[in-house]
Amino acid sequence: MRHKGNLDGIASRDWVTTMLERATSIPGWMSVAELTWLSEQAKRHRRIVEVGSFMGRSTVALAETLGIVYAVDTFQGSEEHRGFLSCAPPYFLLEKFRANLRPEIESGKVRMIVAKSVDAGRSMLETPDMVFIDGAHDFKSLMHDILTWRRILVPDGLLCGHDYENGTSPDIGQAVRLAVPGFQVMQGGSIWYWPPTSVNASIEEPETVHA
């Protein structure tokens, strides 16, 4: 006879497998370890803002929250996507995102905000308790994103972002080091986060502390 604890563990593994299978079927650059980290953090937060959703790979992980995910994106791509999107039909990213997140959009769990990050931050009525930034990767854009959303994040809320020192853009490391003193980086991935106390130590021990 199986104990309830064993059944809970099996159910948890099945949930993670299902989420990862769905997320990794969507084009994007986030690793399995990073998707798992995001989903675990999302379960501990209720009002999540994602800046830069692309086709929804990371949004699937964030949608494991019991609350709401606000997906903020122009859905026109960033500078690094220009070549890829030059041959794509109009509204390609927008329609891909809607198709990939259809169940969550229809249920209201994921709410699309089609706008520039700074504009969305200025008009945001909800106060997020988690913000994940993965928008434009140039220094100026990332600085604006961090400063905009950090101002309206709840006290002790989780501010995090993707592609720290993974070769994507040197601007990311420069902006994060300047704008987010004391940030840390998840083990086995390139997600930076702040403050350290906002992350469950049982999920990830910090790899590096940056002053």
Side-chain angles (χ1 to χ4, degrees):
M1 180 177 180
R2 289 175 174 172
H3 294 292
K4 182 179 184 298
N6 292 336
L7 292 176
D8 287 344
I10 293 171
S12 177
R13 288 193 297 273
D14 289 344
W15 157 76
V16 171
T17 300
T18 301
M19 182 277 293
L20 290 175
E21 286 176 349
R22 186 177 169 208
T24 54
S25 71
I26 299 171
W29 297 270
M30 188 156 292
S31 70
V32 167
E34 292 167 340
L35 290 166
T36 303
W37 189 94
L38 271 187
S39 67
E40 292 289 350
Q41 303 310 322
K43 288 191 293 182
R44 303 174 58 237
H45 296 85
R46 296 295 179 268
R47 296 180 306 281
I48 301 172
V49 169
E50 177 182 43
V51 177
S53 301
F54 199 58
M55 297 189 200
R57 185 182 180 103
S58 54
T59 320
V60 168
L62 292 171
E64 295 301 320
T65 178
L66 295 177
I68 296 172
V69 178
Y70 297 90
V72 178
D73 203 314
T74 62
F75 294 99
Q76 296 176 1
S78 301
E79 190 61 38
E80 60 264 29
H81 305 138
R82 295 298 178 225
F84 158 66
L85 291 174
S86 62
C87 299
Y91 308 111
F92 175 76
L93 292 179
L94 183 68
E95 294 306 322
K96 284 291 185 181
F97 182 87
R98 282 177 173 162
N100 291 331
L101 275 297
R102 188 174 305 280
E104 289 83 1
I105 293 172
E106 291 179 350
S107 70
K109 179 178 284 290
V110 171
R111 301 182 184 180
M112 298 173 65
I113 300 179
V114 184
K116 293 182 178 179
S117 169
V118 173
D119 294 337
R122 288 172 180 163
S123 60
M124 190 78 175
L125 298 178
E126 295 287 344
T127 303
D129 59 4
M130 176 177 174
V131 174
F132 175 65
I133 298 174
D134 194 14
H137 289 9
D138 63 281
F139 178 82
K140 183 178 179 180
S141 295
L142 182 53
M143 285 292 291
H144 282 317
D145 287 345
I146 292 172
L147 296 177
T148 294
W149 293 101
R150 185 171 179 173
R151 279 196 293 266
I152 62 175
L153 187 69
V154 300
D156 297 322
L158 173 60
L159 179 68
C160 53
H162 194 216
D163 293 324
Y164 180 80
E165 299 292 356
N166 67 351
T168 300
S169 169
D171 285 0
I172 295 174
Q174 184 181 358
V176 173
R177 287 190 294 271
L178 180 62
V180 195
F183 76 96
Q184 295 183 342
V185 182
M186 65 165 285
Q187 288 183 348
S190 62
I191 295 178
W192 58 268
Y193 64 90
W194 175 93
T197 54
S198 63
V199 171
N200 189 338
S202 66
I203 296 171
E204 285 293 345
E205 291 297 332
E207 182 179 67
T208 308
V209 179
H210 302 264

